[in-house]
């Protein structure tokens, strides 16, 4: 299973994901800008990514805690998500994410 | 500062900080930073460029030393620039807490507290270079997380907690027991109900003496004994002080134009009338956002359901609302299981949710707290479990 990550450093990487951990936990060792200061509680916004628009519907809907956090992000886009709230499932094979600019 | 600029505030903004470092987030200091998952740059709040962009004057290594609310002046001092005075129209006090370090535990090398990035660097380096053993004094949030980080690096670790169980400020014995077993299963010894009498060593700490005479070998000692609000500099300000700066519901102090937020704010809670001081990262954020709105003239009532979490040995403990109510009831798991979900009752209502290793269920129940339902309607339909009081 592979997802594609466009890092803050303009790199494109194909990343093997195999577990059911959140994408935040799986992406943060790559050091491409997904950090997760709050450890996956959806309260810090440091794992902000955008999802390729045509893949949006593959993801579980945004819950109210993620929504509350996203609302506070000045650079939120219509396709913004928190990577800590995306649990990897086989249906997400080929998912393409772009790490949001950190302000 | 971010909120103010984002919402069009054009006036001058100054931040005074005793810390020499560019502002950073603290939660990783006891976790990912100690274990090497994060570098310092991962949890900086602002880059130097961002500070310029925001047009914020940031005075680092500068300590606020006095407040004159009549003249609206803050006295500050720094080693580099000496004494100075800053005028303000509005002032936000956010000096936080300083770690408690009893006089008896001062003077030996190898004894750490953990609050600042500098503290964390020193502890991280000690955990990498010294053989230990590690003795963590205090079984609170910092203590449990430091013990976890040290054990992950293969060190011999003991936690000594003077109370009857780990996290005694928030957990009853029955809620704490699974956490204690989790530490023990990960190789951390947990000693509760005994206090530390003295630290011994030649120059550097070598052993920890408990009040009952037991001696534990300890090459690294971490004091996790909580913090005291940094309000000494406000003693002659005329503000109401006692375990923090008293504020009204909206975080305003009694002085015109002066707010207090974060760990030092002791806020009047409208629901109970009590003064409440929270040392939660999430509350500090919420309070900052609230005050920013107030400064911009768009005041809304302050609302916050307290929320804290801690990660220990790969398991997450989450707490929302109050922890000590009139009744605590497990709705999933219990004192003898690895994971649990427990609810707290206050009066006739649900008032708190506590979960160990039950993240999804926790989020569902936590949602209810923004408009607390009747206890009976929540627990009806759950098995007639023993309440914690009966089991603890």
């Amino acid at each position: 299973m592979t997802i594609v990550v466009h890092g803050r450093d303009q790199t494109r990487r194909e990343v093997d994901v195999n577990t059911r951990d959140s994408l935040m936990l799986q992406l943060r060792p790559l050091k491409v800008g997904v950090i997760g200061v709050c450890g996956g509680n959806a309260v810090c916004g440091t794992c902000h990514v955008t999802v390729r628009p045509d893949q949006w519907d593959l993801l579980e809907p945004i819950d109210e805690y993620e929504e509350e956090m996203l609302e506070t992000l000045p650079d939120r886009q219509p396709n913004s998500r928190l990577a800590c709230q995306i649990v990897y499932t086989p249906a997400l094979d080929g998912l393409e994410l772009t790490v949001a600019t950190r302000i | 500062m971010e909120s103010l600029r984002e919402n069009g505030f054009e006036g001058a903004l100054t931040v005074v900080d005793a810390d020499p470092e560019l502002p950073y987030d603290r939660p990783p200091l006891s976790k990912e930073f100690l274990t090497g998952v994060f570098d310092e740059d991962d949890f900086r709040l602002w880059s130097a460029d961002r500070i310029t962009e925001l047009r914020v004057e940031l005075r680092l290594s500068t300590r606020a030393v006095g407040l004159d609310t009549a003249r609206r002046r803050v006295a500050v001092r720094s080693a580099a620039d000496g004494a100075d005075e800053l005028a303000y129209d509005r002032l936000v006090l956010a000096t936080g807490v300083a770690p408690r370090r009893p006089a008896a535990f001062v003077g030996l090398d190898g004894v750490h507290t953990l609050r600042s990035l500098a503290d964390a660097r020193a502890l991280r380096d000690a955990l990498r270079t010294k053989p230990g053993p590690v003795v963590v004094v205090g079984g609170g949030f910092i203590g449990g997380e430091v013990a976890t980080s040290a054990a992950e690096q293969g060190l011999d670790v003991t936690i000594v907690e003077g109370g009857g169980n780990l996290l005694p400020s928030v957990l009853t014995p029955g809620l704490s027991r699974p956490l204690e077993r989790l530490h023990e299963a990960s190789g951390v010894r947990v000693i509760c109900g005994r206090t530390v009498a003295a630290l011994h060593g030649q120059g550097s700490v070598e052993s920890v003496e408990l009040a009952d005479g037991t001696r534990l070998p300890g090459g690294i000692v971490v004091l996790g004994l909580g913090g005291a609000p940094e309000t000494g500099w406000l003693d002659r300000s005329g503000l109401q002080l006692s375990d923090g700066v008293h504020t009204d519901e909206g975080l305003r102090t009694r002085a015109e134009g002066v707010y207090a937020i974060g760990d030092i704010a002791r806020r009047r809670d409208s629901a109970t009338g009590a003064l409440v001081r929270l040392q939660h990262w999430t509350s500090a954020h919420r309070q900052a956002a609230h005050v920013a709105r107030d400064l911009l003239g768009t005041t809304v009532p302050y609302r916050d359901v307290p929320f804290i979490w801690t990660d220990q040995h790969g398991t997450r403990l989450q707490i929302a609302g109050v922890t000590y109510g009139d009744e605590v009831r497990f709705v999933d798991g219990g004192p003898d299981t690895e994971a649990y979900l427990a609810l707290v009752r206050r009066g006739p209502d649900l008032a708190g949710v506590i979960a160990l290793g039950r993240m999804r269920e926790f989020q569902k129940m936590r949602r209810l707290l923004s408009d607390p339902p009747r206890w009976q309607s929540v627990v009806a339909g759950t098995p007639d479990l023993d309440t914690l009081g009966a089991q603890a």
Side-chain angles (χ1 to χ4, degrees):
Chain A
M1 302 290 176
T2 306
I3 64 169
V4 177
V5 179
H6 299 275
R8 188 173 288 154
D9 52 359
Q10 309 301 322
T11 56
R12 178 187 190 277
R13 298 180 198 217
E14 295 191 2
V15 184
D16 288 331
V17 282
N18 288 309
T19 75
R20 296 183 65 83
D21 281 337
S22 76
L23 290 184
M24 180 276 285
L25 287 175
Q26 300 196 60
L27 296 179
R28 84 178 172 184
L30 304 178
K31 298 278 178 186
V32 288
V34 170
I35 296 166
V37 162
C38 75
N41 283 290
V43 290
C44 73
T46 61
C47 66
H48 179 194
V49 295
T50 54
V51 178
R52 206 177 81 198
D54 63 298
Q55 296 176 321
W56 181 258
D57 290 339
L58 297 176
L59 303 178
E60 293 286 316
I62 296 171
D63 74 13
E64 68 183 271
Y65 298 109
E66 183 179 359
E67 178 59 32
E68 194 180 322
M69 186 65 235
L70 288 168
E71 276 171 15
T72 69
L73 299 174
D75 52 345
R76 180 185 188 176
Q77 307 296 320
N79 55 335
S80 284
R81 291 297 302 254
L82 300 179
C84 70
Q85 301 301 301
I86 305 176
V87 178
Y88 182 73
T89 64
L92 299 181
D93 192 25
L95 187 72
E96 201 165 334
L97 303 174
T98 303
V99 180
T101 319
R102 192 175 177 197
I103 53 155
Chain B
M1 299 289 140
E2 292 278 354
S3 310
L4 289 171
R5 287 297 188 224
E6 195 186 316
N7 290 288
F9 179 76
E10 289 297 324
L13 294 170
T14 304
V15 175
V16 175
D17 192 350
D19 202 307
E21 299 287 339
L22 288 173
Y24 52 88
D25 248 330
R26 294 184 200 274
L29 296 182
S30 51
K31 302 187 274 274
E32 293 92 346
F33 181 65
L34 289 186
T35 55
V37 173
F38 283 172
D39 306 320
E40 295 180 7
D41 283 345
D42 287 336
F43 52 94
R44 292 268 179 210
L45 290 168
W46 282 343
S47 63
D49 287 348
R50 182 66 185 160
I51 292 162
T52 309
E53 233 170 74
L54 288 169
R55 289 168 289 135
V56 169
E57 184 186 347
L58 179 60
R59 296 197 176 204
L60 297 176
S61 304
T62 305
R63 192 171 280 281
V65 294
L67 169 61
D68 182 336
T69 58
R71 290 173 53 241
R72 295 198 176 206
R73 296 280 196 279
V74 179
V76 301
R77 191 175 297 146
S78 74
D81 303 324
D84 196 0
E85 223 182 32
L86 305 175
Y88 66 85
D89 295 316
R90 298 282 186 275
L91 178 67
V92 181
L93 309 173
T95 42
V97 297
R100 290 200 173 87
R101 195 175 174 117
F105 300 161
V106 174
L108 290 174
D109 289 340
V111 182
H112 298 259
T113 52
L114 181 52
R115 175 72 187 170
S116 66
L117 180 54
D119 295 339
R121 279 187 200 130
L123 179 56
R124 182 195 56 182
D125 293 347
L127 294 176
R128 283 181 185 171
T129 57
K130 287 191 181 177
V134 180
V135 178
V136 176
V137 183
F141 289 100
I142 292 285
E145 290 178 0
V146 168
T148 300
S149 302
E152 255 177 54
Q153 292 171 73
L155 288 155
D156 178 296
V157 186
T158 303
I159 301 176
V160 181
E161 163 58 48
N165 55 265
L166 291 183
L167 285 167
S169 63
V170 288
L171 297 185
T172 59
L175 290 167
S176 174
R177 215 169 296 146
L179 192 63
E180 288 157 17
R181 280 199 309 276
L182 182 62
H183 278 290
E184 281 157 3
S186 308
V188 174
R189 273 180 303 280
V190 177
I191 299 174
C192 291
R194 286 193 273 173
T195 54
V196 171
L199 305 179
H200 301 286
Q202 300 289 328
S204 193
V205 67
E206 289 158 21
S207 70
V208 175
E209 183 184 343
L210 305 185
D212 65 2
T214 308
R215 282 217 188 189
L216 307 171
I220 303 171
V221 171
V222 183
L223 304 177
L225 297 170
E230 291 255 39
T231 54
W233 67 285
L234 297 167
D235 280 346
R236 285 179 294 165
S237 66
L239 296 182
Q240 286 171 287
L241 306 173
S242 63
D243 185 39
V245 181
H246 294 206
T247 77
D248 68 7
E249 280 177 63
L251 300 156
R252 297 183 197 86
T253 70
R254 63 149 64 143
E256 182 67 28
V258 180
Y259 302 79
I261 60 172
D263 293 1
I264 63 160
R266 199 155 166 233
R267 178 184 157 270
R268 178 80 57 192
D269 178 54
S270 53
T272 60
L275 285 165
V276 181
R277 189 169 72 80
L278 297 173
Q279 298 189 55
H280 306 342
W281 182 82
T282 47
S283 295
H285 277 240
R286 203 169 276 274
Q287 293 177 0
H290 176 85
V291 167
R293 272 195 297 269
D294 206 60
L295 291 169
L296 292 160
T298 52
T299 308
V300 292
Y302 180 77
R303 284 179 62 85
D304 181 26
V305 176
F307 166 53
I308 33 175
W309 78 91
T310 178
D311 293 319
Q312 307 198 2
H313 308 290
T315 298
R316 174 159 298 172
L317 175 73
Q318 294 162 294
I319 302 171
V322 306
T323 57
Y324 278 108
D326 300 318
E327 179 185 352
V328 180
R329 187 183 293 206
F330 288 105
V331 291
D332 176 21
D336 300 319
T337 59
E338 282 180 20
Y340 61 70
L341 180 68
L343 304 178
V344 183
R345 175 177 69 81
R346 186 168 60 191
D349 296 330
L350 176 72
V353 181
I354 305 172
L356 184 69
R358 285 278 179 270
M359 292 172 58
R360 280 176 179 275
E361 296 82 351
F362 171 83
Q363 293 292 52
K364 280 183 203 148
M365 295 308 294
R366 177 186 167 205
R367 220 163 274 169
L368 300 175
L369 292 174
S370 49
D371 185 16
R374 293 288 175 188
W375 175 255
Q376 277 310 325
S377 70
V378 179
V379 298
T382 63
D384 187 20
L385 296 163
D386 291 333
T387 61
L388 186 66
Q391 296 191 1

